[in-house]
Amino acid sequence: MKKYSRKRILSFAGVLLFIFAVVTVLGMYLRSEMISIRQREAKNILYHYNDKIILQLQGTMNEADSLAQMALVSGGKETEWFNLASEPLLKREEVCFVGLFEGDTLVSALPEEECAELVGRDLKDFSYAYTLAKVVGELVVEGPSALEIGSEQQKVFLFLQPFLDNGAYKGEAVVALNWDYVQEKLALDSLSAQGYDYELWRVEPQKGAKEVIASTGDNVDFSEAEKITFYLPSQWNLSIQPDNGWMSPVQKRGLAAVCAVLTGLLMVLAYLVYRHFDRERILKRLELMDEATGLYNQKGFTKELDRWLSGGRIPVILFYFSIEGYSQAARLIGTKEESAFLKSIPGRLDEYIRSPYLAGYLGSGNFILAVRDEMSGTEQEEFAKGLSLELLLKVRIGAEKNFLLARYQYASCQAGKGRAGIEMEALFHAYYDEIRKESPIRMMTEKCEQLIEGKDDVIFDEYTDLDMMELSKTFNRYHKQVEQLAYFDPVFNVGNRSKYFRDTDMLISYDPKRSFSLFCIDICNFSQYNELFSADVGDDILHEVLRRMSRTFGSYLYRINGDVFLGVSLSKEKTDSFAEHLHETLTRPVMAGNLSIPLQIRLVVCQYPLYGGTPGVLLERIQSAMSFSKTSGRNIVIYNTELDDMVRTEADILHRLRIAIQQRTLEVWYQPLMYLETDSYQAAEALVRLRDGKGGYFSAFQVISLAERNGMVEELGDYVLAHACSFMRDYGESLGLNRMSINLSVQQLLIGNSAEHLLQLIHASHVDPRRITLEITESVLIQSIDRAADTLERLRREGINIALDDFGVGYSSLNYLSNLPVNIVKIDRSLTQQILTNKKQYALLKSIVEMSRVNDLMVVAEGVENKEEQKLISSAGVHYIQGYYYAKPMPEEKFIKHLKER
């Protein structure tokens, strides 16, 4: 296949662009003239319709003008004349409403039966158009408007005619005409008959919005239509355009045909000119080219390089490549394979080199290149190293393949006429000087040192001496074995975490724009298989799952934890369908011996570069998606913008929480508890509030759950506990509070020495421990009762009250109440909110209260929001009520003020 130089392609492109530009300019000119003719016709029609619409709206249909004149003559003191004058108008079908304002008050509204209730209303009670008529002192036309007449709503046009006395506003007459009648009078449909789309619209005077009055269709684009503007007194506009466009289909086809013919003629002419000059160029090039490769020979390369260096504007780097042992290898592979190798060189160069370059073949495996580009020393070295791999020569000696690499030398050229020969000679001398300094033993020693330094891209295959080649192969095999130990899981022979980072780094480095998907596969509750069956069965399950995944991911499969795997997919299939197919494959039952074992698989996906630009970020995002999968119960999760926003939001919350705790700006709010026996607030609950930086607050549940998942809950709990204790010490007695409740997380409860830690914080605040209540959720307490019992008893001995929070959500067994180490039971909102509609819930509430009294426990009902709930729950015998019915959670200052004012 004939190869064209970039310059020739650019020339072709330039000629084609010129032809297309000429044809395009001519076509645009003709098109513009055709459109101008039709636009002039449209303007003439618009001028006609402008006069017609103004005449209709201000003259023919303006029945309000005569009423306004009569009102001015009558002095506006009596309305009998108005009723007589309006009577013939109301007999006309198109007249829907007639009204008279004296000053700003509507004194008459007809027909009287439907509109009597409007009489007496102020001007401001109606649409802005009524006030506009007063302001401008002239006729205002508004429509279509919705007018409520009696119980019906009619679509009308309003004619508002003010009457003035020596310039002073006295009132206005109003006539509403049926919209269909006005539309018929405006005769806009005749525009459609003439082949035009139309849109009559006005600028709404109060808000400045566009208000369409009449149009041929809702989806017509009038951005290129002809338009005329008039004022009534608001701005009205009439836009029209041909319904088949400013150019008809016939005109478009004719214009396209003319342009196509002209394009063809110009291209034929350009081709004939090109053929003539191309023959001349080919004859000149033949004496400068190497026949075997199609590259320049030494003479041609020198000439072209000299031309480059004479310009002297862009730096030129000269590269020399020599395949050592080429002559011997060429004899081994034969003439046919050598010819194929040499002919492949131009294609390899074109694929690798992106900058302008010259290439020459000097014979016997020696190549010379000049690249026009700005490169640092490191970039020149990387370029030469990469190109030497592109020039790799494969040689089969016996049954084994050997690879000959090209050694290289490079240097920057000095600009100037006649410098090419000098620069090439200097480069050759530098190359052979380096050859004399190096020996195969020395090179191999350097590569071994590179291995010691931790480099993993070292290859021992650059020698033509057969003994050195064998030694090189031995080192390569040893290197591969070491790499196997470093990058592969020893049990299942798949990649490990380090190999994942290396492979994905290479994928991204090789082509940063190529997308791929990172999958994470987790076998749910895998440990149960080892416990129920045996470790051998567990291994059989893992081997089968790996076999299935290998068919999908090939070598891009990694084990990063006992039963957690990563896979990289380069598939172009849609991510969701790919994930579903993979999940279906992995969840099929596994045969282990005679057992058929069903599997549950969690599968999450994150796409590069959409949601991560580095292996580390991708792994972090995939772990966030896996966490979301576990908490949401979804077995397939594809990381998306929603998850990305969630991760960013969570990171923002953690950052703000950490700063707020460090700077002691985290807010603690308080919600009072009503003690029913005395009808007074005798307790309160401390609640954390974190500002979101946008004038609001993050959800307390979200803040606490994030703190628990990220190891901050102990620090957060200590902060709230210390604040609440200090508040109780400073204000508790003066506000009449006997107890302050603080929520305790499971992590605070179960850490070593937690009782001593909590007591130390309470004692440090110098508050009486008997005035502090620590709240534990029912589900956490029941699940951790064995580990938590000692801690809770230790706290109770110090006088601290323990409250069982959210009772009615978790286990909710009344039998627990006699055995749990608590003083207070808090009934959850999920139970109390059904108290009005479910008699069983009320009976359950009374049972809880009675059982609590038997066990000497206080009962608090949470989430009470209205009077009905309060009465019924109070009758059940609870001691405290907490909820919005009494008060919402409040900042400290507002809370103090609220309790003092009560």
Short mmCIF file of all heavy atoms in Angstrom, two decimals, residues 31 34-35 37-39 41-42 45 191-198 216 220-222 224-225 240-253:
data_model
loop_
_atom_site.label_atom_id
_atom_site.label_comp_id
_atom_site.label_asym_id
_atom_site.label_seq_id
_atom_site.Cartn_x
_atom_site.Cartn_y
_atom_site.Cartn_z
N ARG A 31 -27.19 31.41 -1.49
CA ARG A 31 -28.19 31.15 -0.48
C ARG A 31 -28.67 32.44 0.18
O ARG A 31 -29.86 32.65 0.42
CB ARG A 31 -27.62 30.20 0.58
CG ARG A 31 -28.57 29.87 1.70
CD ARG A 31 -27.91 28.91 2.69
NE ARG A 31 -28.79 28.58 3.80
CZ ARG A 31 -28.95 29.32 4.88
NH1 ARG A 31 -28.26 30.45 5.01
NH2 ARG A 31 -29.80 28.94 5.84
N MET A 34 -31.02 34.32 -2.09
CA MET A 34 -32.35 33.70 -2.13
C MET A 34 -33.14 34.02 -0.87
O MET A 34 -34.34 34.32 -0.92
CB MET A 34 -32.21 32.19 -2.28
CG MET A 34 -31.64 31.75 -3.63
SD MET A 34 -31.42 29.95 -3.67
CE MET A 34 -30.75 29.73 -5.32
N ILE A 35 -32.44 33.93 0.26
CA ILE A 35 -33.11 34.21 1.53
C ILE A 35 -33.52 35.68 1.62
O ILE A 35 -34.59 36.01 2.12
CB ILE A 35 -32.20 33.82 2.70
CG1 ILE A 35 -32.05 32.30 2.76
CG2 ILE A 35 -32.74 34.34 4.03
CD1 ILE A 35 -31.06 31.82 3.79
N ILE A 37 -34.45 37.67 -0.68
CA ILE A 37 -35.67 37.94 -1.46
C ILE A 37 -36.90 37.57 -0.64
O ILE A 37 -37.87 38.34 -0.54
CB ILE A 37 -35.62 37.14 -2.79
CG1 ILE A 37 -34.50 37.69 -3.67
CG2 ILE A 37 -36.96 37.21 -3.50
CD1 ILE A 37 -34.24 36.87 -4.91
N ARG A 38 -36.86 36.40 -0.01
CA ARG A 38 -38.02 35.96 0.77
C ARG A 38 -38.19 36.81 2.04
O ARG A 38 -39.31 37.06 2.49
CB ARG A 38 -37.87 34.49 1.16
CG ARG A 38 -37.80 33.55 -0.04
CD ARG A 38 -38.22 32.16 0.31
NE ARG A 38 -39.66 32.06 0.51
CZ ARG A 38 -40.29 30.93 0.84
NH1 ARG A 38 -39.59 29.82 1.01
NH2 ARG A 38 -41.60 30.90 1.03
N GLN A 39 -37.07 37.26 2.61
CA GLN A 39 -37.18 38.10 3.80
C GLN A 39 -37.81 39.45 3.48
O GLN A 39 -38.56 40.00 4.29
CB GLN A 39 -35.80 38.28 4.43
CG GLN A 39 -35.28 37.03 5.13
CD GLN A 39 -33.89 37.20 5.68
OE1 GLN A 39 -33.11 38.02 5.17
NE2 GLN A 39 -33.55 36.40 6.68
N GLU A 41 -40.03 39.95 1.17
CA GLU A 41 -41.46 39.69 1.05
C GLU A 41 -42.10 39.61 2.44
O GLU A 41 -43.20 40.13 2.67
CB GLU A 41 -41.67 38.36 0.31
CG GLU A 41 -41.23 38.40 -1.15
CD GLU A 41 -41.33 37.03 -1.80
OE1 GLU A 41 -41.68 36.08 -1.08
OE2 GLU A 41 -41.08 36.93 -3.01
N ALA A 42 -41.41 38.93 3.37
CA ALA A 42 -41.95 38.79 4.72
C ALA A 42 -42.08 40.15 5.41
O ALA A 42 -43.04 40.40 6.15
CB ALA A 42 -41.07 37.86 5.54
N ILE A 45 -45.18 41.94 4.31
CA ILE A 45 -46.37 41.36 4.96
C ILE A 45 -46.47 41.84 6.40
O ILE A 45 -47.57 42.17 6.89
CB ILE A 45 -46.30 39.82 4.89
CG1 ILE A 45 -46.43 39.37 3.44
CG2 ILE A 45 -47.39 39.19 5.74
CD1 ILE A 45 -46.21 37.88 3.24
N LEU A 191 -51.97 34.24 7.48
CA LEU A 191 -50.52 34.08 7.29
C LEU A 191 -50.19 32.63 6.98
O LEU A 191 -49.32 32.33 6.14
CB LEU A 191 -49.77 34.53 8.55
CG LEU A 191 -49.78 36.02 8.83
CD1 LEU A 191 -49.21 36.30 10.22
CD2 LEU A 191 -48.97 36.77 7.78
N SER A 192 -50.84 31.69 7.66
CA SER A 192 -50.63 30.27 7.39
C SER A 192 -51.04 29.93 5.97
O SER A 192 -50.39 29.14 5.28
CB SER A 192 -51.40 29.40 8.39
OG SER A 192 -50.96 29.64 9.70
N ALA A 193 -52.15 30.56 5.51
CA ALA A 193 -52.60 30.31 4.15
C ALA A 193 -51.58 30.79 3.13
O ALA A 193 -51.48 30.25 2.02
CB ALA A 193 -53.95 30.99 3.92
N GLN A 194 -50.79 31.82 3.50
CA GLN A 194 -49.75 32.33 2.61
C GLN A 194 -48.43 31.54 2.75
O GLN A 194 -47.45 31.88 2.11
CB GLN A 194 -49.49 33.81 2.91
CG GLN A 194 -50.69 34.69 2.68
CD GLN A 194 -50.41 36.16 3.02
OE1 GLN A 194 -49.48 36.76 2.47
NE2 GLN A 194 -51.20 36.71 3.93
N GLY A 195 -48.43 30.50 3.63
CA GLY A 195 -47.24 29.66 3.76
C GLY A 195 -46.29 30.14 4.83
O GLY A 195 -45.10 29.82 4.77
N TYR A 196 -46.79 30.86 5.84
CA TYR A 196 -45.91 31.37 6.89
C TYR A 196 -46.32 30.79 8.25
O TYR A 196 -47.50 30.64 8.55
CB TYR A 196 -45.98 32.90 6.98
CG TYR A 196 -45.27 33.61 5.85
CD1 TYR A 196 -45.96 33.98 4.71
CD2 TYR A 196 -43.90 33.88 5.93
CE1 TYR A 196 -45.30 34.63 3.65
CE2 TYR A 196 -43.24 34.52 4.88
CZ TYR A 196 -43.95 34.89 3.75
OH TYR A 196 -43.29 35.51 2.72
N ASP A 197 -45.29 30.47 9.06
CA ASP A 197 -45.50 30.24 10.48
C ASP A 197 -45.46 31.59 11.18
O ASP A 197 -44.66 32.47 10.79
CB ASP A 197 -44.38 29.35 11.06
CG ASP A 197 -44.51 27.91 10.61
OD1 ASP A 197 -45.64 27.46 10.42
OD2 ASP A 197 -43.46 27.25 10.44
N TYR A 198 -46.29 31.79 12.17
CA TYR A 198 -46.33 33.08 12.85
C TYR A 198 -46.33 32.88 14.36
O TYR A 198 -46.70 31.82 14.88
CB TYR A 198 -47.56 33.90 12.43
CG TYR A 198 -48.87 33.29 12.85
CD1 TYR A 198 -49.39 33.51 14.13
CD2 TYR A 198 -49.58 32.46 11.99
CE1 TYR A 198 -50.60 32.94 14.51
CE2 TYR A 198 -50.77 31.89 12.35
CZ TYR A 198 -51.29 32.12 13.63
OH TYR A 198 -52.46 31.55 14.03
N THR A 216 -48.46 29.34 15.46
CA THR A 216 -48.84 28.20 14.63
C THR A 216 -48.49 26.88 15.31
O THR A 216 -49.00 25.84 14.93
CB THR A 216 -48.14 28.27 13.26
OG1 THR A 216 -46.74 28.46 13.49
CG2 THR A 216 -48.69 29.39 12.45
N VAL A 220 -42.16 25.37 17.17
CA VAL A 220 -41.55 26.09 16.05
C VAL A 220 -40.48 27.03 16.59
O VAL A 220 -40.71 27.77 17.55
CB VAL A 220 -42.61 26.86 15.25
CG1 VAL A 220 -41.97 27.60 14.09
CG2 VAL A 220 -43.68 25.91 14.75
N ASP A 221 -39.31 27.01 15.96
CA ASP A 221 -38.20 27.89 16.36
C ASP A 221 -38.26 29.16 15.51
O ASP A 221 -38.12 29.11 14.28
CB ASP A 221 -36.87 27.17 16.13
CG ASP A 221 -35.68 28.03 16.55
OD1 ASP A 221 -35.91 29.09 17.16
OD2 ASP A 221 -34.53 27.63 16.24
N PHE A 222 -38.49 30.31 16.18
CA PHE A 222 -38.60 31.59 15.48
C PHE A 222 -37.34 32.43 15.63
O PHE A 222 -37.39 33.65 15.49
CB PHE A 222 -39.81 32.36 16.02
CG PHE A 222 -41.13 31.79 15.60
CD1 PHE A 222 -41.79 30.88 16.41
CD2 PHE A 222 -41.70 32.12 14.38
CE1 PHE A 222 -43.00 30.34 16.04
CE2 PHE A 222 -42.93 31.59 14.01
CZ PHE A 222 -43.59 30.69 14.83
N GLU A 224 -34.83 32.77 13.73
CA GLU A 224 -34.38 33.40 12.49
C GLU A 224 -35.55 34.06 11.74
O GLU A 224 -35.44 34.36 10.56
CB GLU A 224 -33.71 32.35 11.60
CG GLU A 224 -32.44 31.75 12.20
CD GLU A 224 -31.76 30.77 11.27
OE1 GLU A 224 -32.32 30.56 10.16
OE2 GLU A 224 -30.69 30.25 11.62
N ALA A 225 -36.66 34.27 12.42
CA ALA A 225 -37.84 34.83 11.77
C ALA A 225 -37.70 36.35 11.62
O ALA A 225 -36.92 37.00 12.31
CB ALA A 225 -39.08 34.49 12.59
N ILE A 240 -42.68 36.19 11.84
CA ILE A 240 -43.15 35.24 10.82
C ILE A 240 -41.95 34.67 10.09
O ILE A 240 -40.88 35.30 10.01
CB ILE A 240 -44.12 35.90 9.81
CG1 ILE A 240 -43.39 36.98 8.98
CG2 ILE A 240 -45.34 36.46 10.50
CD1 ILE A 240 -44.22 37.50 7.82
N GLN A 241 -42.13 33.49 9.56
CA GLN A 241 -41.11 32.83 8.73
C GLN A 241 -41.80 31.79 7.87
O GLN A 241 -42.82 31.22 8.26
CB GLN A 241 -40.04 32.18 9.60
CG GLN A 241 -40.53 31.07 10.49
CD GLN A 241 -39.45 30.54 11.40
OE1 GLN A 241 -38.47 31.22 11.66
NE2 GLN A 241 -39.64 29.34 11.90
N PRO A 242 -41.28 31.53 6.68
CA PRO A 242 -41.90 30.52 5.81
C PRO A 242 -41.96 29.18 6.51
O PRO A 242 -41.01 28.80 7.20
CB PRO A 242 -40.98 30.49 4.59
CG PRO A 242 -40.28 31.80 4.59
CD PRO A 242 -40.13 32.18 6.02
N ASP A 243 -43.08 28.46 6.35
CA ASP A 243 -43.21 27.18 7.04
C ASP A 243 -42.28 26.12 6.50
O ASP A 243 -42.02 25.11 7.15
CB ASP A 243 -44.65 26.69 6.99
CG ASP A 243 -45.19 26.63 5.55
OD1 ASP A 243 -44.38 26.68 4.60
OD2 ASP A 243 -46.43 26.53 5.40
N ASN A 244 -41.73 26.31 5.32
CA ASN A 244 -40.75 25.36 4.80
C ASN A 244 -39.35 25.94 4.80
O ASN A 244 -38.45 25.45 4.10
CB ASN A 244 -41.14 24.92 3.38
CG ASN A 244 -41.23 26.11 2.40
OD1 ASN A 244 -41.01 27.26 2.81
ND2 ASN A 244 -41.54 25.82 1.15
N GLY A 245 -39.12 27.01 5.60
CA GLY A 245 -37.80 27.61 5.72
C GLY A 245 -37.60 28.72 4.70
O GLY A 245 -38.35 28.87 3.74
N TRP A 246 -36.58 29.53 4.97
CA TRP A 246 -36.30 30.66 4.07
C TRP A 246 -35.86 30.19 2.68
O TRP A 246 -35.90 30.95 1.72
CB TRP A 246 -35.24 31.58 4.67
CG TRP A 246 -35.74 32.30 5.89
CD1 TRP A 246 -35.37 32.10 7.16
CD2 TRP A 246 -36.73 33.34 5.92
NE1 TRP A 246 -36.04 32.93 8.02
CE2 TRP A 246 -36.90 33.72 7.28
CE3 TRP A 246 -37.50 33.98 4.95
CZ2 TRP A 246 -37.80 34.70 7.68
CZ3 TRP A 246 -38.40 34.97 5.35
CH2 TRP A 246 -38.55 35.32 6.70
N MET A 247 -35.41 28.95 2.63
CA MET A 247 -35.13 28.34 1.33
C MET A 247 -36.03 27.12 1.18
O MET A 247 -36.06 26.26 2.06
CB MET A 247 -33.67 27.92 1.21
CG MET A 247 -32.71 29.06 0.99
SD MET A 247 -31.04 28.45 0.65
CE MET A 247 -31.31 27.67 -0.95
N SER A 248 -36.74 27.04 0.08
CA SER A 248 -37.60 25.90 -0.15
C SER A 248 -36.75 24.67 -0.47
O SER A 248 -35.59 24.79 -0.87
CB SER A 248 -38.55 26.19 -1.32
OG SER A 248 -37.81 26.27 -2.54
N PRO A 249 -37.31 23.47 -0.29
CA PRO A 249 -36.57 22.25 -0.63
C PRO A 249 -36.08 22.22 -2.07
O PRO A 249 -35.00 21.74 -2.36
CB PRO A 249 -37.59 21.14 -0.34
CG PRO A 249 -38.49 21.72 0.71
CD PRO A 249 -38.59 23.17 0.37
N VAL A 250 -36.90 22.77 -2.98
CA VAL A 250 -36.48 22.78 -4.39
C VAL A 250 -35.25 23.67 -4.57
O VAL A 250 -34.28 23.31 -5.27
CB VAL A 250 -37.64 23.26 -5.28
CG1 VAL A 250 -37.17 23.41 -6.73
CG2 VAL A 250 -38.80 22.29 -5.20
N GLN A 251 -35.27 24.83 -3.91
CA GLN A 251 -34.11 25.73 -4.01
C GLN A 251 -32.86 25.10 -3.39
O GLN A 251 -31.76 25.22 -3.93
CB GLN A 251 -34.44 27.04 -3.30
CG GLN A 251 -35.48 27.89 -4.02
CD GLN A 251 -35.86 29.13 -3.22
OE1 GLN A 251 -36.00 29.05 -1.99
NE2 GLN A 251 -36.04 30.25 -3.89
N LYS A 252 -33.07 24.41 -2.26
CA LYS A 252 -31.92 23.76 -1.62
C LYS A 252 -31.30 22.70 -2.51
O LYS A 252 -30.08 22.61 -2.65
CB LYS A 252 -32.35 23.14 -0.29
CG LYS A 252 -32.69 24.15 0.78
CD LYS A 252 -33.12 23.45 2.06
CE LYS A 252 -33.48 24.45 3.15
NZ LYS A 252 -33.95 23.78 4.38
N ARG A 253 -32.19 21.89 -3.13
CA ARG A 253 -31.66 20.85 -4.01
C ARG A 253 -30.94 21.44 -5.21
O ARG A 253 -29.89 20.93 -5.64
CB ARG A 253 -32.80 19.93 -4.45
CG ARG A 253 -33.33 19.03 -3.33
CD ARG A 253 -34.22 17.93 -3.90
NE ARG A 253 -35.47 18.48 -4.44
CZ ARG A 253 -36.58 18.64 -3.73
NH1 ARG A 253 -36.61 18.29 -2.46
NH2 ARG A 253 -37.67 19.12 -4.28
#
